[in-house]
Amino acid sequence: MPHLAPPTAPPGSHPGSSSGDGRRGANAAAVLRAVLDHGPVARSRIARLSGLSPAAVSRQCTDLTRIGLLREMPELVASGSVGRPQIPVDLHPGAAGGPLTAGVHIGVPQSTFCVADLRGRLLARGRFLHDGIPAVALPGQVARSLAEFVAEHTAGRRVLGVGAALGGWVDPGSATVVRHDALDWHRLSLGPELERHTGLPVRMDNHARAVAQSELLFGRPEARRSLVHLFVGNVVDAAVAIAGVVHRGPRSGAGDVAHLPVPDSTVACTCGRTGCLGATASDTALAREAVARGIVPEENAALIVDAAAAGDRRADELLRRRARAVGRATGLLLDVLNPEQVVVTEQSSLLAAEYLAEIRAAAIAHSHVCDDPERIVVPHAGPAALPVAAVTVLLNPLFRSPLQSLGKTDATPASQ
């Protein structure tokens, strides 16, 4: 079982106390964000970047170093420098004994496990296939396999917790899957199941929101102003972020775009209508058609991407047609929300630029407000977008409120 070393509280305070916590917590978050964006960085520059006084920065760096989030880097001080040396600080790297995070993305055909550092850099990655496992047994089996993976790849190191991301309607507050039709999960208390097997604190969210959070935390600066994320896989959903905040809506129900109309599509949907985005462009719909046309032997969207890469023109045209449908839906989202950036997570465009070009061209052709294709991008983490998004579910609240988050989550499991 991985070891969670309890943090040392800064002197004169406690993470749960109320006196002065608001300002102190905000200052800690400002310092940690500056280091995330610019580290390794000297304290004097952190003061300029954050607008805090040098004394406040020094106090926060001391506190954040004590609880293991920052590390001084004396080896980076230039030899022979004049005056008192400015020792840079950086996030404590996982490769140098810093805290680790675990993540799980639960897809339809498989779950992806990972271990990452504070920058969301993956240090280990694995997968667990769902083939033949009944819906009722799947949560426990995923949880047990995740626990084994984390124990193997952390070897007694300090682990802050588990971030979990999956499609469908997810309520982060109760760590419950409200509805995931593709997995046949309804009102499933998944978070407690993962905690029971791993012995680690768990935070959980919808994967479209998790990717959006990942872009806000680690991605391009434009995303922090306004962002729309469109996820197209076996599940089709979306997320919207304004001024660095991802919208969840009442009961965390925002983001269901599976029935968004796709212009020119006549594909029948199970809802009784035609032209819905999910029925037109999901991995499930794509794979079903590919099998019917003899392009691939089984319903697996990855096989279509592989076939196209190997030169199969039928597979390539199928992917291009899907990309154009995704682009038309993206054009609608651009017109409604007009964000600074649209991030599209779709398997073929993550791997080959020509499919992103198809998405962009169709979006611009159908949008009435956007004529800049560069506003449409793939996730910053590329093919690793989903495991990185999973750990971001845990890391985002840490960077927003480091002292409070560690006070609530970083504790030794009861099983130890």
Side-chain angles (χ1 to χ4, degrees):
M1 184 69 67
H3 175 64
L4 282 76
T8 303
S13 66
H14 185 277
S17 63
S18 57
S19 177
D21 264 6
R23 178 178 297 176
R24 179 168 161 267
N27 289 352
V31 169
L32 200 61
R33 178 85 228 196
V35 176
L36 171 64
D37 289 345
H38 302 282
V41 59
R43 288 172 173 81
S44 58
R45 189 174 180 216
I46 295 174
R48 293 194 297 273
L49 291 166
S50 65
L52 299 174
S53 70
V57 169
S58 182
R59 285 193 298 270
Q60 294 304 327
C61 284
T62 298
D63 288 353
L64 293 168
T65 300
R66 260 196 200 112
I67 60 177
L69 299 183
L70 296 186
R71 178 192 183 204
E72 290 191 333
M73 311 288 284
E75 66 272 19
L76 298 182
V77 176
S79 59
S81 56
V82 179
R84 185 177 179 180
Q86 286 274 330
I87 299 177
V89 295
D90 200 0
L91 298 180
H92 198 167
L100 304 175
T101 60
V104 54
H105 172 256
I106 302 174
V108 174
Q110 67 181 34
S111 291
T112 303
F113 305 146
C114 69
V115 171
D117 66 8
L118 293 174
R119 290 189 179 277
R121 293 178 295 209
L122 300 186
L123 306 177
R125 187 172 174 177
R127 64 175 185 162
F128 175 73
L129 298 176
H130 298 173
D131 290 348
I133 303 174
V136 68
L138 187 58
Q141 293 207 29
V142 169
R144 283 189 290 273
S145 295
L146 174 63
E148 292 170 2
F149 174 87
V150 175
E152 178 185 354
H153 291 281
T154 58
R157 297 273 301 280
R158 182 186 179 197
V159 184
L160 300 180
V162 176
L166 68 160
W169 184 355
V170 178
D171 180 5
S174 61
T176 297
V177 182
V178 179
R179 185 181 69 234
H180 193 309
D181 292 333
L183 289 176
D184 196 22
W185 287 353
H186 300 89
R187 298 290 174 186
L188 173 68
S189 295
L190 181 62
E193 182 79 357
L194 297 176
E195 287 189 356
R196 183 168 68 87
H197 285 279
T198 63
L200 296 168
V202 172
R203 289 184 181 269
M204 195 170 87
D205 207 345
N206 166 272
H207 59 198
R209 291 195 293 259
V211 172
Q213 292 285 12
S214 178
E215 296 303 309
L216 296 175
L217 194 58
F218 301 120
R220 306 163 185 86
E222 300 91 328
R224 299 174 199 173
R225 295 193 287 272
S226 57
L227 165 77
V228 169
H229 170 231
L230 176 61
F231 180 91
V232 180
N234 287 293
V235 174
V236 175
D237 46 20
V240 178
I242 304 294
V245 178
V246 176
H247 176 66
R248 288 196 173 99
R251 300 170 59 215
S252 299
D256 188 348
V257 295
H259 301 285
L260 185 75
V262 178
D264 305 326
S265 172
T266 58
V267 178
C269 180
T270 55
C271 73
R273 292 177 290 182
T274 59
C276 294
L277 179 59
T280 302
S282 71
D283 280 1
T284 303
L286 188 77
R288 187 180 299 125
E289 181 176 353
V291 169
R293 293 176 56 186
I295 297 172
V296 295
E298 59 183 275
E299 293 186 4
N300 185 330
L303 295 179
I304 307 170
V305 176
D306 291 343
D312 189 318
R313 292 185 178 179
R314 298 173 303 162
D316 174 68
E317 178 49 39
L318 200 59
L319 292 174
R320 289 181 183 275
R321 193 178 75 195
R322 196 256 284 268
R324 291 191 289 270
V326 171
R328 292 193 292 272
T330 300
L332 291 177
L333 292 171
L334 279 164
D335 284 356
V336 172
L337 298 165
N338 195 26
E340 293 276 347
Q341 191 171 89
V342 176
V343 178
V344 178
T345 302
E346 183 271 336
Q347 192 172 20
S348 62
S349 58
L350 283 171
L351 299 172
E354 58 264 31
Y355 301 116
L356 176 61
E358 291 276 10
I359 292 173
R360 285 172 162 174
I364 298 306
H366 284 80
S367 174
H368 298 279
V369 301
C370 179
D371 59 2
D372 179 10
E374 298 297 320
R375 284 167 60 183
I376 304 166
V377 299
V378 296
H380 78 280
L386 290 173
V388 172
V391 296
T392 304
V393 175
L394 186 80
L395 288 172
N396 184 61
L398 175 71
F399 278 94
R400 284 187 177 276
S401 186
L403 305 181
Q404 183 182 21
S405 293
L406 282 185
K408 286 184 177 180
T409 65
D410 197 14
T412 303
S415 59
Q416 292 192 357

